């Protein structure tokens, strides 16, 4: 990309980004597109696209109008919405917001596992009914968690769970005997074989063709009726129909889902009302100040690009995520 101030378009929906003060002095012009129709009008001449609405398919729909586009940055860690053939096969640079969500998501996962170990859902239900019912709960320390995803989010989860006394095993694209954050890492082909000895299965992997449907009926059966599943990665990592059947049958101990095949989760889904399920609206990484951090990251990358440096978080479009190897 040339070092001159570029024309930047920000694609947003109803969630408007905060002040773009870190960006405006570096740009020739900053445009705002609040949806697909406006993006179609603004793409011609756009050199840099900041995809704030990372759930939008507008870029794929109007790609043919991108006549000067050189760089796309998305305000998310996952880039599955950006993996359409025209962008993947182009020379357009793609970067993500890796690093912003790691610790918040790790804290969220730890909180969920503690909630299940200490039976907080039942406590809240009983409190709402003004019922006093003493129960015993479980220790989290000493339990075993299989963490799927060896990127920065999975690593942050591994570190925090280990600090709480949880024994962690990693699952990734490639296996290795020793990892500082995830213990031994197994290839994803061995996932089902690991689950009978696991108390928790935590999904923090990107959505790729290799990970889509990674957890189905076989894996849920292997996890067993006492196991807990937490998904903070992407909804399609899990066969949702198989999961709903397992929940209805009482074949799984607990489920915490922050992501789903369809978002928002349809009102008719049995996941809403199952006592063993915690549903949250794709918010595990969203903490106070996160929007400002996303803008600051984009501004830092823009300065790097204009200075002739490699930006942070360049996505390997063949793999669908940022590769560290």
């Amino acid at each position: 990309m040339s070092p001159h101030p570029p024309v930047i378009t920000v694609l947003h929906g109803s969630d408007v980004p905060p002040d773009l003060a870190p960006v405006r002095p570096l740009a020739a012009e900053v445009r705002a597109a609040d949806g697909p129709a406006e993006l179609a009008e603004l793409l011609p001449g756009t050199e840099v696209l900041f995809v704030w609405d990372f759930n939008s398919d507008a870029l794929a729909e109007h790609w043919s109008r991108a006549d000067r586009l050189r760089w796309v940055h998305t305000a998310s860690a996952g880039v599955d919405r950006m993996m359409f053939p025209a962008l993947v096969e182009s020379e357009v640079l793609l970067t993500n917001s890796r690093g912003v969500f790691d610790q918040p998501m790790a804290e969220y996962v730890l909180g969920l596992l503690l909630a299940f170990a200490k039976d907080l859902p039942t406590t809240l239900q009983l409190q709402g009914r003004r019922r006093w019912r003493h129960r015993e709960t479980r220790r989290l320390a000493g339990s075993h968690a299989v963490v799927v995803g060896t990127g920065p989010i999975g690593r942050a989860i591994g570190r925090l769970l280990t600090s709480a006394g949880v024994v962690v095993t990693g699952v990734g694209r490639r296996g290795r005997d020793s990892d500082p954050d995830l213990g031994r890492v197994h290839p994803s082909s061995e996932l089902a074989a690991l689950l009978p000895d696991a108390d928790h299965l935590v999904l923090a992997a990107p959505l790729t063709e290799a990970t889509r449907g990674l957890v189905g009926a076989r894996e849920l059966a292997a996890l067993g009726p006492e196991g807990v599943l937490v998904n903070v990665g992407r909804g399609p990592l899990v066969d949702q129909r198989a999961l709903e059947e397992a929940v209805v049958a009482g074949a799984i101990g607990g489920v915490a889902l922050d992501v789903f095949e369809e978002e928002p989760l349809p009102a008719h889904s049995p996941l809403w009302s199952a006592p063993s399920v915690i549903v949250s609206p794709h918010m595990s990484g969203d903490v106070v100040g996160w929007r400002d951090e996303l803008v600051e990251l984009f501004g830092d990358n823009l300065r790097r690009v204009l200075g002739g440096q490699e930006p942070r978080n360049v996505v390997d479009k063949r793999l669908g995520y940022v590769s560290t190897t």
Side-chain angles (χ1 to χ4, degrees), residues 90-111:
S90 75
E91 295 184 1
V92 173
L93 183 72
L94 177 63
T95 57
N96 72 355
S97 295
R98 168 183 168 125
V100 173
F101 305 102
D102 307 353
Q103 191 64 22
M105 291 179 70
E107 293 174 358
Y108 202 85
V109 169
L110 177 59

Side-chain angles (χ1 to χ4, degrees), residues 7 10 12 14 29 33 51 54 68 82 85 101 107 111 122 133 163 185 222 233 239 255 278 297 302 307:
V7 174
V10 181
H12 64 85
S14 57
E29 180 183 357
V51 182
F54 52 81
R68 296 182 62 191
M82 301 294 106
F101 305 102
E107 293 174 358
T122 300
R133 196 179 86 198
S163 71
V185 176
D239 180 338
V255 178
I278 296 175
L297 172 60
L302 183 58

Side-chain angles (χ1 to χ4, degrees), residues 13-276:
S14 57
D15 180 18
V16 179
D19 186 11
L20 294 172
V23 174
R24 293 187 186 281
L26 304 172
E29 180 183 357
V30 178
R31 306 165 169 178
D34 64 4
E38 195 160 5
L39 181 66
E41 295 180 8
L42 296 179
L43 266 179
T46 293
E47 297 167 86
V48 176
L49 179 64
F50 184 11
V51 182
W52 184 262
D53 182 6
F54 52 81
N55 287 316
S56 174
D57 292 316
L59 180 58
E61 294 171 9
H62 299 294
W63 178 261
S64 62
R65 297 183 61 80
D67 57 352
R68 296 182 62 191
L69 192 61
R70 297 292 180 267
W71 172 30
V72 175
H73 179 85
T74 180
S76 63
V79 295
D80 41 285
R81 294 278 188 177
M82 301 294 106
M83 291 293 98
F84 54 92
L87 175 52
V88 171
E89 295 164 9
S90 75
E91 295 184 1
V92 173
L93 183 72
L94 177 63
T95 57
N96 72 355
S97 295
R98 168 183 168 125
V100 173
F101 305 102
D102 307 353
Q103 191 64 22
M105 291 179 70
E107 293 174 358
Y108 202 85
V109 169
L110 177 59
L112 290 169
L113 294 189
L114 282 168
F116 281 118
K118 303 309 174 185
D119 200 22
L120 292 183
T122 300
T123 296
L124 294 174
Q125 292 164 15
L126 292 172
Q127 179 181 346
R129 300 200 296 268
R130 298 174 183 262
R131 292 187 58 191
W132 183 278
R133 196 179 86 198
H134 182 270
R135 288 134 28 242
E136 294 180 342
T137 63
R138 299 184 180 187
R139 296 180 189 270
L140 185 63
S143 64
H144 178 204
V146 172
V147 177
V148 180
T150 59
I153 294 171
R155 292 185 170 283
I157 291 169
R159 290 192 296 270
L160 199 56
L161 294 185
T162 298
S163 71
V166 178
V167 178
V168 173
T169 299
V171 170
R173 190 163 61 96
R174 294 187 301 270
R176 49 191 175 274
D177 291 335
S178 179
D179 184 278
D181 300 317
L182 296 164
R184 184 179 178 187
V185 176
H186 296 256
S188 57
S189 59
E190 298 178 5
L191 176 59
L194 297 172
L195 295 179
D197 295 324
D199 299 294
H200 324 287
L201 172 59
V202 180
L203 305 180
L207 179 61
T208 67
E209 287 307 307
T211 61
R212 187 180 296 273
L214 185 65
V215 175
R218 176 187 176 210
E219 288 75 21
L220 294 170
L223 186 60
E226 300 297 323
V228 170
L229 169 67
V230 175
N231 188 5
V232 293
R234 282 292 187 265
L237 297 176
V238 179
D239 180 338
Q240 191 163 307
R241 179 170 295 182
L243 178 60
E244 289 174 349
E245 291 174 355
V247 166
V248 170
I252 188 166
V255 178
L257 303 172
D258 189 53
V259 287
F260 305 86
E261 287 182 351
E262 180 182 351
E263 297 181 6
L265 180 66
H268 59 76
S269 172
L271 297 173
W272 280 112
S273 56
S276 61

